[in-house]
Amino acid sequence: MATYAVGDIQGCLQPLKCLLREVDFAPDRDSLWLCGDLVNRGPESLETLRFLHAMRDSVVAVLGNHDLHLLALARSQRKPKPKDTLAPILGAPDRDELLGWLRHFKVVHHDPHLGYAMAHAGIPPIWSLAEALHHSAELEVVLRGEQLETFLANMYGNTPECWDENLAGPARWRVITNYFTRMRFCKADGQLELTSKNGPNHAPPGFAPWFKFPGPAIDEAKLLFGHWASLEGKTDHPRVFALDTGCVWGRQLSMLCLETQAMHRCDC
């Protein structure tokens, strides 16, 4: 029995199958953790969802920004972007079943036995693991409840830039969403910089990669995240694992065995 965590698939199903074959993955024996962004930009978003949904009892997934974008499109809260490849999902006869499954993904996942936590973009240095899980649960309630439309209609935007416990409603949901699904650079106090997508050596003045700050969550669990392809899988931190290695951009899909920390990669 083994547990594998895979980076941003983004509709690149064949590299995922390549990795699963390489490790002889068996759904009745092994578990697959997904770091979010299962869909979009790649060639087989619908097929990827169907493939993973078919073995959903062996899958643990967190939501990424592209997954949330799909939900917004499906609820007519956003118009498609030119590079979106989500139309086949939206027109599929089984779309409601697939999107209902997606809607119930976690935002942050933690396994205390294995000692790992996973969020699509990471966990900001201002929050302990318990606080991160609490705020994740806040969003999960909204995503699964009657406030979904309000959330999706107000999800996009770069403000508030920093956490404030007094925030409420859409502004509170949006900053939590940005921390967990869009964060790259921030300050020690949690202020976000959401426009820069370059590597860690090109941080905007006053900012640094979120995992460079001594946050409590890093001490409480080893952290898995995706989202940031320009890191090329490197954090230089023994407890932080970057799993987005740019598969959809023609580089590699990465998968980590959590028990052994063996990394497997497949060219895309």
Side-chain angles (χ1 to χ4, degrees), residues 9-260:
I9 303 168
Q10 294 197 240
C12 298
L13 179 57
Q14 300 314 310
L16 173 63
K17 288 183 175 180
C18 169
L19 286 174
L20 296 178
R21 287 193 300 268
E22 180 178 320
V23 299
D24 191 27
F25 182 87
D28 60 347
R29 180 191 66 210
D30 303 320
S31 298
L32 183 64
W33 290 20
L34 306 171
C35 278
D37 279 4
L38 279 62
V39 298
N40 209 13
R41 305 289 175 84
E44 295 184 285
S45 288
L46 173 58
E47 293 81 1
T48 298
L49 276 188
R50 285 174 171 166
F51 176 78
L52 294 167
H53 181 261
M55 59 176 188
R56 58 193 177 277
D57 290 343
S58 303
V59 167
V60 174
V62 295
L63 285 162
N65 50 300
H66 284 283
D67 308 316
L68 289 169
H69 181 60
L70 170 59
L71 292 176
L73 292 179
R75 296 278 174 154
S76 301
Q77 298 297 337
R78 197 71 171 181
K79 293 182 179 179
K81 298 178 181 179
K83 295 182 179 179
D84 285 347
T85 59
L86 299 170
I89 299 174
L90 298 173
D94 52 347
R95 61 166 269 172
D96 290 345
E97 183 177 12
L98 295 172
L99 295 178
W101 177 57
L102 192 77
R103 181 180 171 186
H104 284 78
F105 283 6
K106 297 182 179 183
V107 178
V108 176
H109 175 63
H110 174 229
D111 186 318
H113 175 70
L114 288 172
Y116 286 87
M118 176 175 66
H120 177 62
I123 295 176
I126 56 172
W127 288 341
S128 67
L129 185 55
E131 289 170 324
L133 291 167
H134 173 77
H135 297 313
S136 168
E138 285 188 63
L139 281 190
E140 290 159 14
V141 169
V142 173
L143 284 160
R144 300 166 191 176
E146 296 180 356
Q147 294 177 300
L148 175 64
E149 308 285 350
T150 302
F151 166 72
L152 294 172
N154 293 277
M155 177 177 67
Y156 296 86
N158 294 345
T159 57
E161 295 180 339
C162 200
W163 174 246
D164 182 341
E165 186 60 52
N166 294 318
L167 290 168
R172 182 182 180 93
W173 303 337
R174 187 166 54 250
V175 72
I176 295 173
T177 301
N178 285 342
Y179 278 127
F180 290 139
T181 70
R182 296 183 60 211
M183 174 177 64
R184 292 185 181 91
F185 295 107
C186 71
K187 293 183 176 179
D189 65 357
Q191 182 181 341
L192 289 165
E193 204 292 325
L194 294 170
T195 63
S196 300
K197 299 182 180 181
N198 295 322
N201 295 328
H202 301 279
F207 291 85
W210 62 268
F211 50 83
K212 294 295 186 182
F213 296 105
I218 294 178
D219 295 328
E220 296 166 327
K222 294 183 283 288
L223 303 184
L224 307 166
F225 72 105
H227 183 58
W228 199 346
S230 57
L231 288 177
E232 299 180 347
K234 301 171 185 175
T235 67
D236 297 323
H237 194 298
R239 294 178 61 82
V240 183
F241 299 87
L243 295 180
D244 182 4
T245 44
C247 183
V248 77
W249 307 113
R251 298 201 287 274
Q252 292 180 317
L253 186 66
S254 292
M255 186 167 69
L256 179 73
C257 178
L258 302 191
E259 288 83 1
T260 66

